[in-house]
Amino acid sequence: MKQPIKHSWAEPYKMKMVELLKMTSRPQRLKAIKEAGYNTFLLKSEDVYIDLLTDSGTSAMSDRQWAGMMMGDEAYAGSRNFFRLEKAIQKFYGYKYIIPTHQGRGAENILSKVLIKKGDIVPGNMYFTTTRLHQELAGGTFADVIIDEAHDPESEHPFKGNVDLQKLEALVKKHGAKRIPYVCIATNVNMAGGQPISIKNLKEVRAYTKKHGIKIIHDMTRVAENAYFIQQREKGYEKKSIREIVFEICSYTDGATMSAKKDALVNIGGFLAINDWDAFEEARNLVVVYEGLHTYGGLAGRDMEAMAIGIEESVNDNHIRARVGQIEYLGHKMTEFGIPIVKPIGGHGIFVDAKQFLPHLSQDEYPAQTLAAEIYIDSGVRTMERGIVSAGRKPNGENYYPKLELVRFTIPRRVYTQAHMDVIAESAYNVFRKRKSIKGLKMIYEPKYLRFFQAKFEKLK
Ligand code: PM9
């Protein structure tokens, strides 16, 4: 008798409704990208075939979530959906006090204003664009304490999101623990390619920060994906459920900012969670200035209900296995075509190494921005630059030159099929074949903040 075959990662859901997509011709796409200043953020979504710009707010909600939307209690104060959300966060993540916000950066703004004083240093396991900007606007300076392997697309380290404790210790020695209000720990580090932190490393960071009276704030935007990699790769966690691992991760931290538009499967929403009463009290007061009353924080009651249900669905083992399985399928396909991607394959997308893909372009010719535009022209697949444009400028005006110059093929949750993954890989391959003839870009408009969203470019001759 032959051995049984292990079931593949097939989706634990079926389709009940579909959204029709517009197909475009190459001349139409050439015109559209030129008009968009070669910035995929400035394309009209109806000119896009497969949209891999982001996994943020692009998930397909379940029938349970849509049913929950009908149960929205739109009272200005004390909506029952807020209490449902508060309960879900306490149950699945274990944080004590909760403030809803319109999305992740709303929580980052309030947290930074509450915890950071001018001149403070905020260590983190790699920067994220909005997170670092809010830290800087509050008078702080971000310091990268991620392990060196995270900056190397070729490194196969299983936990590239880990903190280098020596880097952290050097900061504490240099500035003193009093100047470090918290360490920001992201689960499944976005800018590193969706790479996880291990429980072992997180426990070490907890022990060290506790000794020095420093808080850990958890950017838990993709915590369930991180938990999946722990389950697959970390000794002792093979038999634990995603739900248990997520809860354990949160237990080593003092609070969290969450963009619920990713792991938590909603189209809008976020929250700030904190265990310390005094910090919570101040945050609860500030939220009324920037977001709305502390029981809705910029959201409708129905949004909070969908989030409460999404949180529960996001920690389901079958869901997360299919989620990451689809990304691994695309990553293997790209690797078979010889396309250089960040290794190991991450949790929310495939990150193509534009420096290796277009080695004839200097970083000042924007290789990742160029590649994202070329992929769109080839097939109508929309991706996103994660390199020098995203990195922006230092407060003194100099450009950051990040080691990683990547194009992110971000996969929305529960949206596309395996055949879509095939088309995406084929398009990347078509562009790869003619890569030597591709010319770079020149920036012709640069906004002051988060320039990658609105910058405009022109083709170099
Ligand atoms: N991330 C993303 O596409 C959306 C905006 S930037 C293109 O990856 C982390 C780790 C994020 C994140 C957003 C935010 C901010 C915080 N932390 O977008 O404000 O990946 O909900 O969250 C985006 P909001």
Side-chain angles (χ1 to χ4, degrees):
M1 277 283 268
K2 285 191 181 144
Q3 290 293 314
I5 299 169
K6 192 173 175 233
H7 291 172
S8 85
W9 52 268
E11 296 82 353
Y13 51 85
K14 59 183 178 179
M15 288 170 208
K16 192 179 283 202
M17 195 187 75
V18 295
E19 179 180 342
L20 301 184
L21 298 174
K22 188 173 123 187
M23 308 296 272
T24 51
S25 66
R26 189 178 172 89
Q28 283 172 329
R29 294 194 292 273
L30 276 166
K31 184 167 175 280
I33 195 75
K34 195 169 175 203
E35 280 172 10
Y38 295 90
N39 184 346
T40 51
F41 274 100
L42 300 179
L43 286 166
K44 289 186 185 140
S45 126
E46 61 170 19
D47 290 335
V48 171
Y49 171 36
I50 302 174
D51 203 347
L52 309 185
L53 185 73
T54 176
D55 62 331
S56 181
T58 53
S59 299
M61 291 208 299
S62 68
D63 49 357
R64 293 172 68 237
Q65 285 177 291
W66 280 109
M69 298 278 282
M70 295 305 292
M71 301 298 285
D73 169 5
E74 307 307 343
Y76 188 91
S79 157
R80 76 171 161 260
N81 312 112
F82 166 75
F83 297 105
R84 290 252 307 126
L85 175 63
E86 185 182 52
K87 224 173 173 172
I89 294 169
Q90 288 165 346
K91 178 172 167 188
F92 293 102
Y93 304 144
Y95 294 117
K96 270 194 197 158
Y97 309 118
I98 318 300
I99 292 165
T101 56
H102 76 283
Q103 59 184 84
R105 69 198 75 179
E108 290 169 350
N109 175 35
I110 291 165
L111 175 88
S112 302
K113 285 195 160 63
V114 171
L115 293 186
I116 299 173
K117 289 188 294 301
K118 200 170 170 358
D120 280 354
I121 306 292
V122 188
N125 55 347
M126 202 171 266
Y127 84 100
F128 184 71
T129 52
T130 57
T131 321
R132 182 177 66 194
L133 182 59
H134 279 299
Q135 291 163 357
E136 288 171 354
L137 291 173
T141 302
F142 167 80
D144 191 4
V145 292
I146 203 164
I147 56 171
D148 288 342
E149 287 87 339
H151 294 279
D152 174 7
E154 290 292 320
S155 165
E156 296 268 9
H157 193 295
F159 292 105
K160 280 169 115 174
N162 279 357
V163 169
D164 182 332
L165 276 123
Q166 285 179 351
K167 288 186 190 170
L168 182 58
E169 186 160 31
L171 282 177
V172 173
K173 282 205 173 121
K174 184 168 172 204
H175 302 281
K178 288 222 157 55
R179 290 258 66 123
I180 301 181
Y182 63 91
V183 179
C184 179
I185 295 292
T187 37
N188 243 37
V189 180
N190 189 356
M191 301 301 277
Q195 303 293 329
I197 180 171
S198 68
I199 291 273
K200 180 172 176 287
N201 183 254
L202 184 54
K203 275 175 154 174
E204 286 164 2
V205 178
R206 173 72 296 177
Y208 182 81
T209 49
K210 202 169 182 184
K211 202 166 79 190
H212 292 276
I214 299 170
K215 287 187 170 61
I216 297 181
I217 297 296
H218 178 196
D219 180 341
M220 62 181 304
T221 298
R222 297 181 180 86
V223 65
E225 289 164 8
N226 197 123
Y228 178 73
F229 289 125
I230 289 172
Q231 188 190 55
Q232 299 302 306
R233 299 177 189 166
E234 192 160 355
K235 209 164 160 277
Y237 287 86
E238 312 78 351
K239 296 222 155 57
K240 295 218 166 174
S241 66
I242 296 299
R243 180 175 164 175
E244 287 169 314
I245 301 171
V246 164
F247 196 87
E248 184 174 343
I249 292 172
C250 297
S251 75
Y252 302 124
T253 69
D254 301 294
T257 54
M258 172 65 144
S259 169
K261 300 170 72 175
K262 285 87 167 170
D263 259 10
L265 297 163
V266 287
N267 303 125
I268 193 71
F271 61 82
L272 171 63
I274 197 118
N275 292 340
D276 174 75
W277 173 263
D278 292 339
F280 166 69
E281 211 180 12
E282 200 177 331
R284 189 177 56 172
N285 190 210
L286 272 185
V287 77
V288 300
V289 181
Y290 294 103
E291 302 277 319
L293 193 72
H294 57 279
T295 56
Y296 77 83
L299 295 170
R302 55 182 175 268
D303 299 325
M304 292 188 283
E305 186 65 25
M307 204 196 306
I309 298 168
I311 287 171
E312 184 179 348
E313 292 181 1
S314 75
V315 297
N316 176 289
D317 280 62
N318 293 326
H319 159 73
I320 205 76
R321 177 166 177 252
R323 157 73 176 151
V324 182
Q326 186 177 48
I327 288 150
E328 287 175 342
Y329 174 84
L330 175 61
H332 291 312
K333 202 114 206 156
M334 291 233 198
T335 307
E336 279 165 27
F337 282 135
I339 296 160
I341 64 169
V342 172
K343 292 169 198 141
I345 294 167
H348 65 301
I350 299 302
F351 290 66
V352 171
D353 183 354
K355 277 189 187 166
Q356 271 197 62
F357 198 112
L358 298 171
H360 56 287
L361 299 189
S362 76
Q363 208 165 6
D364 288 316
E365 292 170 312
Y366 309 109
Q369 189 79 27
T370 303
L371 182 52
E374 291 295 327
I375 302 269
Y376 171 74
I377 293 166
D378 181 73
S379 58
V381 170
R382 168 156 69 172
T383 58
M384 185 206 286
E385 191 266 7
R386 293 274 79 159
I388 185 168
V389 185
S390 292
R393 290 179 188 272
K394 298 176 192 169
N396 70 7
E398 282 171 21
N399 270 316
Y400 285 106
Y401 280 90
K403 281 207 182 119
L404 296 175
E405 180 71 26
L406 308 173
V407 176
R408 189 180 72 173
F409 291 63
T410 342
I411 309 299
R413 294 165 185 79
R414 311 194 287 206
V415 173
Y416 292 115
T417 66
Q418 189 160 329
H420 286 119
M421 298 303 120
D422 292 340
V423 170
I424 295 159
E426 285 153 13
S427 176
Y429 177 64
N430 284 343
V431 178
F432 192 57
R433 278 183 57 226
K434 52 162 204 186
R435 63 192 180 282
K436 288 189 181 131
S437 64
I438 293 172
K439 296 212 168 69
L441 296 169
K442 182 172 115 188
M443 198 186 289
I444 53 168
Y445 167 66
E446 179 178 358
K448 189 168 167 201
Y449 300 116
L450 303 173
R451 64 184 183 185
F452 60 96
F453 283 126
Q454 292 153 336
K456 289 200 164 191
F457 301 81
E458 210 170 67
K459 261 271 167 221
L460 286 171
K461 296 267 181 302

